[in-house]
Amino acid sequence: MDLFLLCAGLMRNSKSLLLVLWMMGSACIQVPDLEPGALPDAGSQDSRPVTVSWLSPEAGNSTNGTLRVSVEVTGPTPDRVELLVDGTPVGLLSASHSLNWETWSLPEGPHVLAVRATRNSQVFTSPERTVTVDRTLPRMTSQTPANAAFLVPAGMAIHATFSEPLRASSVSTQSIQLTVDSAPFSADVSLSGDGRALTISPHTPLPVDSQVAVTIDAAVTDLAGNSMDATSRDWRWTIPSYLLVGEPLRAGSPDASLIDRASLRIGGDSRPLVAWAQHGGVHVRRWNGDAWEYLGGPLKSGATNTLAVWNSALQIDAEGRPLVAWFEYFESGISQFHARRWNGTAWESLGTFLNSSLAGGHISWMGFSSGTQQAPVVAWEEGNDSQHQFVLRQWDGSAWVAKAGPLPLVGTVTYPGFDLDAAGQPVFTFRERDSQGVNVGRVVRWNGSAWQDISAGLGGLPSARVFHPDGSLLVGVSVRVDGSWRPVIKRWNGSAWLIVGGPVDSAPSTHERTLHGIVVDAQGLLTALFIEVRTQPATSSMVGQARQWTGDRWEDVSGTLRPAPGMWKKELPSLALSPDREPIIAWIEGTDPTLGTSESALHVHRVNH
């Protein structure tokens, strides 16, 4: 039988079809392989779905430029795969189903992405995924300490916040560095969970009297890869040796606030008090723990023809009550001395005013002391055309009486000062210019009936003095040591001057240094303040440093007390000691005198720790 006819006949009987196929093997017609799920009819479409799954970017991603888009496609091969941005096609994906999408033409902000696959007339779309186009540089929105801050407390936490989250992987001790005086300083760097807050934790306390900086590298970026704004990469501040106690003190408008002298004492309540003359009155303020409060109103005599109120001085009497004294200057050239005592609610007058004891005398300096248990004593320097002298008056409870005879003076006097010993006997220290124009150091003591000059062997120029609890007199002098003027303290033992531990400063300087304040604590240990006059830089007229005598050596209390940037330390400081043996310093600070302005304020400083 013809093979074709046999096959055809059998195929007309569908029940015999499997038998024929088994017998004929490959001799019958070939049946094409079909894809799984395909229909056997010629020309039918594959109805299986195409699945599009995201590989990149991740949900919530940010970009500032080219974004890598990649998907995984499963199921029948689509005819076309394209990227939709906010519902609009922007590009076809490659055969590997990826695309480098340039975002430069899109506005900043969130955009919705989807990938659409098309096969014949069927459309398959991925889930939507939002990405943010961000070309804005991140910046600091707050800093602690503030950038360029000058009065930063030691130990202040270092924090910064940012306008947007930073990429955590970009923040490290290599990309963010802490330096002190330009040298690296070991610290930990951490970023908050939301990426917006930075904390820097030094491994050891930052030193005072130093310049601190945080440098942020360009490698620090936001989530979109934008580097930190250049204005936020440089963050620096100063940790001074001393901080202000409260606000700067002045009376009246700042543009006419000339202050020529200030006085500082610790009251019976262990809190600082300050006094200064300004705008025709004497101002006394007391620190209440939170702010400076006035003790009464401005003090003055009330005379209508007063030209100026000046040279105020503050003291504390044996009962812990504040005393204040000042001079008023008149057109006639006469100066009047006035004194008041605070009774707890108001200022009460201590007698009537005093004038120069010399006919036509002019008063150029005044000092005020109450000693340890003594009634108040005032001293002043007066002179006319023929005489020049120191005068002392003591309050006896009802009037000011002569304390000692006048101390005659010969030449021009600088750095005058006095104190009282345990018996109430005064001693003067000063520098006097002799007939040859040479400054000579003078220490003169009242022995009860006459003035005794004990200057011989002092070997320097005095500028401060104090009586030790053991009764010995201590005098701060400037002496020449290997060509430099250095501050030392010398003790009078009754017959000779003995140096206390060598120079107060730790090393010589090219600038002249002068002691201007010595205080003694209850244990008899000394705290001394020396000042240094600097001609460079021009904005630092004076600086100061306090050191303490431990019994066998001088040690730093803190670093150098400097003026604020662009300001000058003016006149001479006033030193007191807090109950915990820390120095409190009052100093007038003002604008650069070369600018021709008179703005100044009284600054009270405490140690920064």
Side-chain angles (χ1 to χ4, degrees):
M1 180 183 293
D2 186 278
L3 182 60
F4 173 78
L5 293 177
L6 175 60
C7 290
L10 290 174
M11 291 178 68
R12 279 195 292 266
N13 186 348
S14 59
K15 295 182 179 179
S16 305
L17 176 60
L18 293 176
L19 178 60
V20 171
L21 294 174
W22 177 78
M23 295 174 60
M24 296 177 58
S26 61
C28 293
I29 61 173
Q30 299 295 316
V31 179
D33 293 329
L34 299 178
E35 294 182 6
L39 298 176
D41 297 331
S44 64
Q45 297 183 0
D46 188 346
S47 60
R48 287 180 305 144
V50 175
T51 302
V52 182
S53 303
W54 284 103
L55 296 178
S56 68
E58 296 180 355
N61 197 7
S62 298
T63 182
N64 62 0
T66 303
L67 182 69
R68 180 70 172 177
V69 176
S70 181
V71 295
E72 179 182 36
V73 177
T74 58
T77 302
D79 302 324
R80 183 171 68 256
V81 180
E82 55 192 339
L83 174 65
L84 306 181
V85 178
D86 299 327
T88 301
V90 298
L92 294 175
L93 274 66
S94 67
S96 61
H97 305 137
S98 61
L99 170 67
N100 288 331
W101 171 48
E102 300 292 343
T103 64
W104 61 268
S105 62
L106 285 179
E108 290 189 88
H111 296 274
V112 178
L113 275 60
V115 174
R116 182 171 65 189
T118 304
R119 174 174 168 78
N120 296 326
S121 61
Q122 293 180 296
V123 175
F124 306 91
T125 307
S126 71
E128 291 183 342
R129 181 159 286 188
T130 299
V131 298
T132 300
V133 176
D134 176 12
R135 292 183 286 272
T136 301
L137 305 183
R139 55 184 175 80
M140 287 189 190
T141 55
S142 68
Q143 299 157 312
T144 304
N147 188 36
F150 178 72
L151 297 173
V152 177
M156 175 178 277
I158 305 173
H159 297 294
T161 58
F162 301 93
S163 57
E164 57 183 302
L166 300 183
R167 189 181 299 278
S169 61
S170 71
V171 174
S172 68
T173 55
Q174 285 71 46
S175 60
I176 299 180
Q177 291 192 330
L178 180 69
T179 62
V180 174
D181 293 331
S182 300
F185 199 88
S186 182
D188 292 327
V189 176
S190 60
L191 192 65
S192 62
D194 63 3
R196 288 180 174 267
L198 175 72
T199 299
I200 300 175
S201 305
H203 292 168
T204 57
L206 294 173
V208 299
D209 201 15
S210 63
Q211 300 288 327
V212 183
V214 174
T215 302
I216 300 179
D217 192 84
V220 176
T221 70
D222 62 13
L223 301 180
N226 298 300
S227 294
M228 188 70 61
D229 187 292
T231 59
S232 295
R233 292 186 196 169
D234 192 14
W235 171 23
R236 59 188 62 246
W237 63 91
T238 301
I239 302 179
S241 299
Y242 292 81
L243 294 176
L244 284 178
V245 178
E247 74 282 3
L249 303 174
R250 62 163 64 93
S253 59
D255 59 348
S257 56
L258 180 63
I259 307 173
D260 66 348
R261 184 180 176 185
S263 186
L264 167 71
R265 294 293 182 268
I266 303 297
D269 57 1
S270 300
R271 291 180 173 176
L273 296 98
V274 289
W276 75 96
Q278 188 182 16
H279 289 305
V282 175
H283 306 268
V284 182
R285 298 180 78 171
R286 176 174 56 194
W287 180 248
N288 64 15
D290 297 309
W292 291 101
E293 59 182 13
Y294 267 102
L295 286 189
L299 299 171
K300 53 187 175 182
S301 69
T304 58
N305 58 342
T306 301
L307 284 182
V309 176
W310 61 284
N311 212 357
S312 63
L314 184 66
Q315 269 298 346
I316 307 297
D317 70 9
E319 287 75 39
R321 296 172 296 184
L323 306 167
V324 65
W326 71 91
F327 273 96
E328 295 188 13
Y329 182 71
F330 296 87
E331 291 182 1
S332 61
I334 293 176
S335 298
Q336 291 181 352
F337 167 80
H338 298 267
R340 300 284 190 274
R341 178 170 56 202
W342 182 252
N343 63 15
T345 58
W347 291 102
E348 56 185 22
S349 178
L350 293 184
T352 59
F353 64 83
L354 299 177
N355 290 328
S356 169
S357 63
L358 296 176
H362 173 73
I363 298 175
S364 55
W365 166 84
M366 182 265 291
F368 196 28
S369 177
S370 63
T372 53
Q373 298 293 327
Q374 306 300 320
V377 176
V378 63
W380 66 74
E381 179 188 352
E382 62 181 20
N384 58 19
D385 292 339
S386 58
Q387 288 182 270
H388 185 198
Q389 60 189 17
F390 285 135
V391 174
L392 292 117
R393 298 286 185 269
Q394 185 170 37
W395 178 248
D396 68 357
S398 60
W400 293 95
V401 298
K403 173 67 175 173
L407 172 60
L409 301 171
V410 177
T412 301
V413 170
T414 56
Y415 289 96
F418 85 105
D419 208 344
L420 305 173
D421 65 15
Q425 302 297 352
V427 61
F428 278 98
T429 68
F430 54 97
R431 303 176 184 186
E432 190 171 39
R433 191 178 297 274
D434 64 16
S435 59
Q436 305 300 317
V438 177
N439 277 329
V440 178
R442 299 284 304 280
V443 181
V444 185
R445 188 171 188 173
W446 181 254
N447 63 13
S449 58
W451 290 103
Q452 177 187 7
D453 192 324
I454 56 174
S455 309
L458 183 65
L461 301 175
S463 53
R465 84 292 318 147
V466 71
F467 278 97
H468 195 275
D470 65 8
S472 62
L473 173 63
L474 301 169
V475 176
V477 297
S478 296
V479 298
R480 297 286 287 184
V481 178
D482 297 328
S484 298
W485 285 103
R486 300 186 67 180
V488 301
I489 292 178
K490 291 192 174 184
R491 181 174 63 87
W492 175 250
N493 67 359
S495 59
W497 291 100
L498 306 176
I499 193 169
V500 178
V504 174
D505 58 351
S506 59
S509 170
T510 57
H511 304 284
E512 180 179 350
R513 289 172 172 168
T514 304
L515 274 168
H516 195 77
I518 310 171
V519 290
V520 188
D521 64 16
Q523 288 73 43
L525 297 179
L526 307 177
T527 298
L529 172 68
F530 66 85
I531 63 174
E532 181 176 305
V533 179
R534 294 183 175 180
T535 56
Q536 296 293 332
T539 55
S540 296
S541 57
M542 293 182 187
V543 298
Q545 188 171 11
R547 306 196 84 205
Q548 290 181 330
W549 176 248
T550 65
D552 58 3
R553 66 185 182 278
W554 289 100
E555 289 186 347
D556 288 339
V557 175
S558 188
T560 303
L561 173 55
R562 308 176 190 275
M567 303 293 282
W568 287 63
K569 290 294 188 190
K570 297 182 175 183
E571 305 304 325
L572 296 174
S574 184
L575 172 68
L577 205 62
S578 70
D580 55 0
R581 293 191 70 229
E582 290 196 350
I584 309 293
I585 301 169
W587 212 336
I588 298 165
E589 195 164 299
T591 52
D592 185 340
T594 62
L595 300 178
T597 62
S598 59
E599 180 177 344
S600 60
L602 174 60
H603 291 204
V604 180
H605 304 274
R606 64 173 177 84
V607 174
N608 187 6
H609 53 65

